[in-house]
Amino acid sequence: MADKHAPVMIAVNGVSKSFRLPHEKTTSIKSAVVNFWRQKRSYELQKVLKDVNFEIKQGEFFGIVGRNGSGKSTLLKLLAGIYSPSKGSIQVHGRLTPFIELGVGFNPELTGRENVFLNGALLGFSRKEMDRLYNDIVSFAELERFMDQKLKNYSSGMQVRLAFSIAIRAQSDILLIDEVLAVGDAAFQTKCFDYFYELKKKGATVVFVSHDRSSLERFCDRGILVDKGEITKAGTIQEVLQEYSKVVLEELGNAEAKKNEDTARKPVVSEYAAIQNTTACDAEGRSKKKFSYGDPIGLRFTVQIKHALNNPVFGITVWQKNLDKAVFATNTLIDGVKETGAFAAGETVEVTIDLPKFLNDGEYYIEPAIANESASVFLDQRPRAATFLISGSDNPHSLLSSDQKLKLTVRKAGKK
């Protein structure tokens, strides 16, 4: 955690950024000449960032989160000096190295060895310094066998490893890191995370953009949430990530609702019973789609009985949407209810099941079912009949969670 009295390394004051998108298309030399001589040319103004303000102090690991298209990458390019703000000012105190688009400046026709010296020159290193650093760069990238091959024969992951290994040799006061490890394999990512730990121990100033919640929480102290070009949350990284979860889950919910309307699997029409009106509900029984972590959640559905049934089994399964895995399932038979009753044709039955409070942040499907008395034949079953969302957990890393605190003991076990 940075000292609150530490000097400010980056100050962003009232920054806005817009791009002008011309309406006239230039598809030939003739159209380019015609458009050039037109008295009036129309543009569409794309506002990417709007009145952004924040400060980053020396020694902070500062996280920037947001959905794709929210303006994060544009903000990072403004900090790096690649773009100039349309309005406002950015002050950077110290030397800054951007890890935004690794490998820019690589020549695919040159060997890996030649590209190391080329990229090093672009970073300001002399030939003598690169001779001294060369073995460390190649060793870190784990590419000893491939350095005399042309870069165009490298995989994307190999190129990122080489570029990252070169870039970290730059001696700078501030690092900008933008999801550069997305294509690296697990072993190389671990090595890079070890490097981040070293940066954190040394008190380096790092601006870190990522979608990986665990990495953000592991390294960052504070952060901001950028949504639709504006900062909608600033504070500790935990506060920012909680707000980010709400934004993502709301987007997923809207997209899934539309998808379910268009592509939901049509259930088989049963001649014995028909499940209807599946919903999640709150403690008062009101139908609801979005819940805060820890809220009581009831799962309710009705069944229209078409033929007389004796002691049918009613059940429900909850699926995690992203994993497509069942995380909870129960029915009246499992719960020890051997006699649910005799039902005549034309009757309607309402079934409600209280969900245990162990589901973490996420989106879930509800799948109700009714079976015969021995549970050997499904009389009706409705996959993805409804969805609900949970957000706001303090510890959303796992699928399941609990309010009960675990006792964690760390002690030295001695030497062998």
Side-chain angles (χ1 to χ4, degrees):
M1 179 73 71
D3 184 347
K4 63 180 180 179
H5 301 296
V8 174
M9 300 297 284
I10 297 177
V12 178
N13 300 301
V15 166
S16 297
K17 181 62 180 176
S18 301
F19 296 97
R20 291 203 307 174
L21 306 178
H23 286 160
E24 293 83 5
K25 292 183 179 180
T26 302
T27 56
S28 66
I29 295 176
K30 180 181 178 180
S31 62
V33 172
V34 170
N35 288 338
F36 178 79
W37 287 106
R38 279 187 179 174
Q39 294 297 317
K40 293 182 180 179
R41 283 178 282 175
S42 59
Y43 293 90
E44 179 182 340
L45 200 62
Q46 181 189 21
K47 297 181 179 179
V48 181
L49 292 171
K50 309 164 195 172
D51 195 26
V52 172
N53 297 273
F54 64 92
E55 290 183 345
I56 301 174
K57 294 190 174 183
Q58 186 178 51
E60 275 197 298
F61 227 106
F62 192 87
I64 300 178
V65 299
R67 297 175 294 174
N68 290 334
S70 63
K72 303 187 308 297
S73 294
T74 298
L75 177 57
L76 228 61
K77 288 175 181 177
L78 285 165
L79 296 179
I82 298 171
Y83 292 157
S84 297
S86 304
K87 180 183 175 184
S89 64
I90 298 174
Q91 296 176 317
V92 177
H93 304 284
R95 184 180 176 185
L96 182 149
T97 298
F99 289 28
I100 297 176
E101 295 178 6
L102 290 179
V104 172
F106 274 172
N107 187 329
E109 294 299 329
L110 299 180
T111 65
R113 182 188 303 274
E114 291 166 334
N115 271 288
V116 167
F117 286 92
L118 174 62
N119 222 242
L122 292 174
L123 289 172
F125 289 107
S126 67
R127 174 78 189 203
K128 186 176 181 180
E129 287 173 318
M130 289 309 297
D131 283 333
R132 178 172 54 83
L133 295 171
Y134 178 80
N135 288 335
D136 288 339
I137 290 170
V138 176
S139 176
F140 189 93
E142 300 174 0
L143 294 172
E144 290 90 344
R145 294 171 46 214
F146 307 98
M147 295 310 293
D148 292 317
Q149 288 187 17
K150 288 188 176 182
L151 200 76
K152 65 182 181 182
N153 296 321
Y154 283 25
S155 68
S156 59
M158 291 166 69
Q159 291 187 37
V160 166
R161 280 154 51 186
L162 184 60
F164 185 82
S165 186
I166 298 169
I168 62 176
R169 312 297 155 180
Q171 301 299 314
S172 38
D173 306 302
I174 306 166
L175 299 177
L176 303 185
I177 302 174
D178 182 14
E179 206 78 73
V180 296
L181 307 179
V183 297
D185 58 34
F188 186 71
Q189 286 184 20
T190 299
K191 186 181 288 191
C192 294
F193 288 150
D194 290 341
Y195 170 71
F196 291 166
Y197 274 120
E198 289 301 316
L199 289 177
K200 196 168 178 66
K201 281 192 221 175
K202 291 176 183 176
T205 305
V206 179
V207 183
F208 188 40
V209 175
S210 178
H211 291 100
D212 182 2
R213 180 166 186 148
S214 62
S215 298
L216 288 159
E217 283 195 311
R218 190 186 312 177
F219 298 111
C220 295
D221 310 307
R222 293 191 307 123
I224 55 173
L225 169 61
V226 181
D227 192 39
K228 298 177 182 177
E230 300 179 285
I231 295 179
T232 56
K233 184 69 178 179
T236 67
I237 197 63
Q238 289 79 14
E239 293 170 341
V240 169
L241 289 173
Q242 281 191 19
E243 189 65 26
Y244 181 46
S245 293
K246 294 178 185 177
V247 171
V248 172
L249 289 173
E250 183 173 356
E251 182 182 43
L252 286 172
N254 294 338
E256 193 60 37
K258 180 67 169 64
K259 178 182 174 183
N260 286 342
E261 287 177 9
D262 298 337
T263 62
R265 189 195 312 173
K266 292 183 180 180
V268 177
V269 177
S270 169
E271 61 178 292
Y272 294 96
I275 294 173
Q276 302 169 335
N277 306 320
T278 304
T279 185
C281 52
D282 61 17
E284 284 72 42
R286 295 171 298 199
S287 181
K288 191 174 177 182
K289 185 177 178 64
K290 300 175 185 177
F291 298 85
S292 296
Y293 172 74
D295 285 350
I297 301 175
L299 306 180
R300 184 175 63 211
F301 62 96
T302 58
V303 182
Q304 181 185 3
I305 306 299
K306 295 183 177 181
H307 281 272
L309 296 173
N310 192 45
N311 296 324
V313 175
F314 301 95
I316 204 156
T317 302
V318 177
W319 295 76
Q320 213 283 346
K321 182 250 182 184
N322 290 332
L323 298 177
D324 200 25
K325 295 286 186 182
V327 294
F328 174 76
T330 191
N331 59 48
T332 50
L333 193 62
I334 292 173
D335 285 349
V337 182
K338 295 182 179 179
E339 296 186 2
T340 56
F343 301 97
E347 287 188 310
T348 299
V349 184
E350 184 177 89
V351 180
T352 302
I353 295 172
D354 292 328
L355 194 64
K357 297 181 182 180
F358 56 39
L359 291 185
N360 227 326
D361 287 5
E363 184 175 14
Y364 299 89
Y365 295 128
I366 307 171
E367 181 179 317
I370 178 173
N372 64 350
E373 188 172 5
S374 62
S376 59
V377 177
F378 282 101
L379 305 178
D380 196 17
Q381 184 179 19
R382 301 293 173 109
R384 302 186 179 188
T387 63
F388 63 95
L389 305 170
I390 298 176
S391 65
S393 170
D394 291 331
N395 179 25
H397 301 303
S398 61
L399 186 62
L400 306 179
S401 188
S402 173
D403 291 332
Q404 183 177 354
K405 300 298 181 184
L406 300 178
K407 182 180 179 182
L408 178 64
T409 302
V410 179
R411 65 183 180 85
K412 291 184 178 180
K415 296 182 179 179
K416 292 185 178 179

